Amino acid sequence: MDKIVIKGGQALHGEVQVSGAKNAALPILASALLADGTSTYRNVPDLADVATMLKVLRTMGCDTERDGDTTDVCRIGVNGHITPEAPYDLVKTMRASVVVLGPLVARFGRARVSMPGGCAIGARPIDQHLKGLKALGAEIHLTEGYVEATAKQLKGGTVNFDVITVTGTENVMMAAVLAKGRTVMENCAREPEVEELAKVLNKMGARIEGAGTSIITIEGVDGLKPVEHAILPDRIEAGTLLVAAAISGGNVLVKRVVPEHLDAVVEKLRETGCTITAEAGGLRCQAPQRLEAVNITTTEYPGFPTDMQAQLMALMSVSQGTSVISENIFENRFMHVPELDRLGADISIQGHTAVVKGVKGLSGAPVMATDLRASASLILAGLRAEGRTDVSRVYHLDRGYERLESKLRGLGADIRREKA
């Protein structure tokens, strides 16, 4: 098991390039199931979650290929002879595996996918996925911890999600593209990753309108064709790197960014006193002499993303004043607080709200990552902390950040990976 070792105090400078978006890549890879032939994807990040999704697809009978360790090209071949099952041993390691459910039942008429169960940061049930598939005519049975969905032919219908769900929107959208007739999906997630999936499906021959808004309409088609597509940049990695510049007192150009995907994050960074400027192909963050505290409330896109809450909390821990951070998406997403406190932060939790009193400095200490974004927040805090910080359980980090320590080292950080 690895750990990340950081000696803080180095201001970051230079340029860094963002990898492909994990949360876009996973459902897009699953969408390959919708067409026979080989689909080719570029800008696919080299992440543990991507490796898990490829393993799920291989288990079903797909051919998967990556062009070596140093490229971002991935190919998935589907020959029609698919075993439509995602086993528990794989789904339990990555909840997003459930996005194979929609493509399988739409294309092959049946699917058997393990229930994903709980998650460190919250329950994240799939009831809205199942509600949507039922509205399209699928029969759903829950047996022995598995969802079994069957349908001779899905039929278009109206799906009104009770709550906004990203993977639920994606799952039902992938099912509806092969349903007979018209589907109207209401109260949909508006995230860029949903819009990106719709773009890929339309390139495959689907007829989707409205992705990126709360209402998506789909005219079902008889079949789809394989696709070539480059995954969009990861907005959460980009935001994390901007915060790295801010918390270290640096000046960094983050390249390969879609600026409008980061509006809510950029607005908050500017409120702290950071200078954020758009340059060709990226965003530059220049840290101020003194960071100012800001209040943050997480909400669905285009609001402030829950996936950036832990990183901004690390920044607020060394800002001037008191911040109030309200978490409205996941019930257990403050598990990084005790670890930040070990580094000298002053944070108290009151229900779904954290009150962060800025301190003058942090001190290095051994800390433990509890989830993906928590691991990033601890690394960010370690960049600022005086002395040595050891972040253990960085397998969480590897699920969603491609060689983050190498990118930070390229900006001047004193950071390395060691065996724990």
Side-chain angles (χ1 to χ4, degrees):
M1 191 179 296
D2 292 350
K3 65 179 179 180
I4 300 291
V5 178
I6 310 147
K7 291 183 181 177
Q10 302 295 321
L12 303 187
H13 292 89
E15 300 180 358
V16 62
Q17 187 161 281
V18 174
S19 298
K22 173 182 84 86
N23 290 338
L26 298 178
I28 287 171
L29 294 176
S31 73
L33 290 163
L34 290 165
D36 269 355
T38 299
S39 291
T40 301
Y41 307 102
R42 299 183 304 282
N43 202 30
V44 179
D46 183 15
L47 303 171
D49 276 9
V50 169
T52 299
M53 179 59 78
L54 294 176
K55 191 172 183 180
V56 169
L57 294 171
R58 283 197 300 273
T59 299
M60 294 177 182
C62 298
D63 297 320
T64 69
E65 178 187 357
R66 290 204 71 145
D67 287 357
D69 297 331
T70 58
T71 72
D72 56 10
V73 178
C74 179
R75 296 180 179 85
I76 298 176
V78 182
N79 58 17
H81 302 293
I82 296 296
T83 302
E85 179 172 330
Y88 171 72
D89 285 349
L90 292 176
V91 177
K92 72 177 181 180
T93 66
M94 186 184 70
R95 292 183 47 85
S97 306
V98 77
V99 294
V100 301
L101 186 60
L104 288 175
V105 70
R107 174 92 194 284
F108 303 101
R110 62 189 181 93
R112 186 172 186 266
V113 177
S114 172
M115 290 283 286
C119 171
I121 60 172
R124 298 209 262 186
I126 63 167
D127 58 311
Q128 297 302 302
H129 303 231
L130 305 184
K131 174 185 177 179
L133 293 175
K134 284 181 182 178
L136 301 183
E139 291 188 13
I140 306 290
H141 299 282
L142 306 180
T143 58
E144 298 178 342
Y146 279 78
V147 176
E148 295 186 354
T150 56
K152 288 185 178 179
Q153 169 68 65
L154 292 177
K155 295 178 180 172
T158 299
V159 179
N160 193 325
F161 293 108
D162 298 320
V163 295
I164 295 173
T165 162
V166 175
T167 53
T169 299
E170 293 166 341
N171 229 341
V172 177
M173 184 164 63
M174 286 190 281
V177 295
L178 293 180
K180 191 173 183 63
R182 188 174 199 236
T183 296
V184 179
M185 298 167 56
E186 301 173 344
N187 198 30
C188 296
R190 299 162 60 188
E191 271 73 1
E193 294 79 14
V194 173
E195 192 172 0
E196 180 83 345
L197 174 61
K199 185 185 299 183
V200 171
L201 294 172
N202 283 340
K203 287 171 72 171
M204 296 173 74
R207 298 170 63 191
I208 303 170
E209 294 182 353
T213 75
S214 60
I215 299 177
I216 298 173
T217 58
I218 303 168
E219 297 289 345
V221 298
D222 292 333
L224 299 177
K225 61 183 183 297
V227 70
E228 290 193 13
H229 185 78
I231 307 296
L232 87 172
D234 194 311
R235 61 193 171 97
I236 304 302
E237 183 194 354
T240 302
L241 291 166
L242 291 172
V243 175
I247 200 169
S248 71
N251 185 340
V252 173
L253 174 61
V254 181
K255 302 181 73 174
R256 196 192 276 175
V257 173
V258 183
E260 56 267 32
H261 292 171
L262 286 162
D263 283 348
V265 174
V266 166
E267 179 183 346
K268 287 301 175 183
L269 286 173
R270 284 178 173 150
E271 287 181 29
T272 70
C274 291
T275 301
I276 309 291
T277 52
E279 298 187 15
L283 288 172
R284 180 177 295 279
C285 177
Q286 183 172 354
Q289 290 293 321
R290 185 180 72 177
L291 290 160
E292 298 291 341
V294 298
N295 296 331
I296 297 161
T297 299
T298 66
T299 187
E300 293 86 359
Y301 189 86
F304 191 89
T306 180
D307 280 354
M308 282 298 302
Q309 176 256 108
Q311 298 92 310
L312 260 290
M313 186 181 290
L315 185 64
M316 291 302 93
S317 72
V318 292
S319 297
Q320 179 84 11
T322 299
S323 304
V324 177
I325 299 178
S326 300
E327 174 56 62
N328 294 322
I329 306 299
F330 295 121
E331 63 269 28
N332 296 332
R333 204 154 204 182
F334 284 149
M335 291 190 295
H336 45 279
V337 169
E339 301 303 302
L340 288 173
D341 284 346
R342 281 179 54 79
L343 297 172
D346 184 353
I347 307 169
S348 59
I349 301 173
Q350 302 168 7
H352 293 289
T353 298
V355 177
V356 186
K357 296 180 181 178
V359 297
K360 289 184 178 180
L362 301 174
S363 299
V367 290
M368 181 179 68
T370 52
D371 61 71
L372 170 55
R373 306 307 172 186
S375 62
S377 75
L378 297 177
I379 288 173
L380 293 173
L383 293 174
R384 178 64 176 259
E386 183 178 342
R388 171 173 165 156
T389 299
D390 289 31
V391 183
S392 61
R393 290 190 178 179
V394 293
Y395 55 83
H396 290 295
L397 184 79
D398 296 337
R399 288 186 46 234
Y401 290 94
E402 184 176 45
R403 293 181 281 277
L404 180 61
E405 72 279 8
S406 297
K407 293 183 179 183
L408 293 173
R409 191 164 54 248
L411 297 172
D414 187 343
I415 183 172
R416 66 185 184 277
R417 181 179 290 252
E418 291 184 357
K419 292 295 181 184

